[in-house]
Amino acid sequence: MEEKEKKLKQPLRRVVSNNIFILRQVWRLMPSYLILTVCEGIMWGLINSAEAVVFYTIFNALDTGEPFARMAYLIGMISLFYLISGILDRLYWVVINPEIKQTLHYRMHRELFVRAQSLDLACYDDPKFYNDFVFAMDEADSRAIKVVDEVGKLINRLVASGTLFTLLFTIDTLVAVLIFACSLITTVIWLIGNKIGFRQQEEGKPLWRKSNYINRTFHLADYAKELRTSRASELLMEEYTENCGRLIAMQKRYGKKYFLLYGLCDSPISIGLQLTTLLVMFFKLIAGQVQLGGFAAAVNTIWRVRWFFFDICQRIARFPEHALYIEKYRNFLSTEPTIRSGKTPIPEPFAALELRHVSFAYPAGEDGEAKETLHDINLTLHAGEKIALVGYNGAGKTTLIKLIMRLYDPTEGQILWGGVDIREFDLEEYRQKIGTVFQDFKLFAASIAENVLCTDCAEDREEDVRRALDAADFTDKLESLEDGIHTHLTREFRKDGTNLSGGESQKIAIARVFARPYELIIMDEPSAALDPLAEYALNHNILKQCADSTVIFISHRLSTTRMAQTIYMLADGRIAESGSHEELMAQNGKYAEMFNTQAKHYISEVLPA
Ligand SMILES: Nc1ncnc2c1ncn2[C@@H]1O[C@H](COP(=O)(O)OP(=O)(O)OP(=O)(O)O)[C@@H](O)[C@H]1O
Ligand SMILES: [Mg+2]
């Protein structure tokens, strides 16, 4: 709790700097928004000042008996002013402002996407970072808009209150001082309220995140089957009920705090001030210090000033709250990836990949313990060689692939590409050299061709796409699709989209590595969803397509991995055995045991002859 309090206390310098930071972001991304907001603020400030002076003059004229024509002229002028500014204001708020906000949203989010993509995969394993990330995604543009709007309104109020306060001092100094003092108290109350609001947001964010997750499971097609055919929905529903119960309890708890603050502190001050000022002016009226017109003019001005002043204070009080949110956005933007790019050119052509004494531990969890997943791995893969990684679930096969792809860096040891540590290469350039089929591959709601190329499909690439799909044994299916490689995948956004089966989807993912030449091809369980015939065809094609390529192949089906020149058997994060299939069988160790167990269940081999 103390830790939380400390986090909420921010020096004034930080409040100012965070708010200026977001204004500078807006200025960089959408300068017209700031310019128009300032102009709008000044325009309304002047109109409000003129309006106050005109009303003051009109009411006072009741006592002095000014000619009607002059009053009518004043009323006419202010009405015309109102009409013109009203039309301009609507034009701004209905047409220009929404477009500006949408563009700002787009530009800010584009930057956030780019940054999110540049961050380490490890960030996603850290719930604290994830919360900040969600905060940044949810709040960045809406906070920027709130700060800009706040600044616009403040300009408006400050311009107007200059005139109003001058008028007020001519009416009654005591009332002016009273309004000023009460406004300060209100500011403090709102500062406290806004801090409580932020704390509530922080407390609620993980709960809202969980609710969103459960929402997602009910509306995403990915979960629809499990929900209908298992009791998972009951489990989720229970969690949802518990989560919502905690949210409701939280709302109640905070509701009481808000009532104490606003209901029992803020409202009495506000109403008390209203009554006091009314009484002061009423006594002045009875004492004959003002007449009826003067009384009305004074009350009108006082209430206006009070409203403007309270509004200014409430808005100022919101800046520390904005600053707390902006801080998270800034934290997110300033998070630097630890997986950095180097500048050394990548040696051409590819000669060998060597893992030298590589150990790795995923970042520590909540318990603070980082357990080593890979220990002292040594292996060398020469150009054109095909190796297989095999082992039981959780042995560390996929982790090893992630290290080679530089999604994580080893905690100890080195990975060398052509004798150079891969940390020295430009990250993007290095990753482009490797074609990967991930175990948990994802297809996107885009055309088949775009899914294969992972980018737009120019006309001159269409043949590459067809060839790659053919190599992945997808041709039969492709011929049945009216739009061929331009068929849209998933029906999420298009009614004419196609939903593929698990194996068909996997074939698209496999086609990615055949769509263009790669120095190294990695396939992590590429045949998991394939039927035996498709697996046979895939193996055959891998041998054909990748005859000269360097391949790392992971599969639980040892009949498939037999084709590798060297097989590495991983157990508990170590290389337990290595050698050709025949050598490993002759060793009669873990590999032979695994192979024989599987062979018992296979009636026939699915290997190419
Ligand atoms: N992001 C992560 N954070 C922490 N631990 C992880 C993470 N990803 C995997 N692990 C752990 O690392 C170990 C190795 O996982 P890995 O995915 O490399 O296994 P695998 O050999 O590919 O298994 P499978 O055959 O099931 O695909 C597992 O015990 C797993 O719990
Ligand atoms: Mg795996």
Side-chain angles (χ1 to χ4, degrees), residues 47 75 102 129 182 232 235 291 296 313 334 345 357 455 503 512 591:
I47 291 171
I75 293 172
Q102 197 59 51
F129 167 84
C182 287
L235 179 80
Q291 291 179 327
C313 294
S334 62
H357 299 295
T455 179
R512 285 172 181 163
Y591 177 83

Side-chain angles (χ1 to χ4, degrees), residues 458-513:
E459 223 169 282
D460 60 346
R461 298 291 322 268
E462 289 186 4
E463 210 30 59
D464 291 338
V465 173
R466 283 194 195 93
R467 198 181 32 76
L469 286 166
D470 191 44
D473 193 33
F474 191 77
T475 306
D476 286 350
K477 176 72 187 173
L478 192 63
E479 279 167 4
S480 73
L481 299 170
E482 211 174 296
D483 294 327
I485 59 168
H486 300 296
T487 305
H488 191 85
L489 292 188
T490 82
R491 295 218 174 104
E492 187 150 349
F493 304 110
R494 285 174 55 164
K495 237 182 166 173
D496 64 347
T498 296
N499 286 331
L500 297 177
S501 76
E504 289 163 350
S505 304
Q506 189 151 30
K507 287 176 184 178
I508 304 265
I510 293 167
R512 285 172 181 163
V513 298

Side-chain angles (χ1 to χ4, degrees), residues 397-398 439 524:
K397 304 179 294 294
T398 301
Q439 186 174 16
D524 192 353

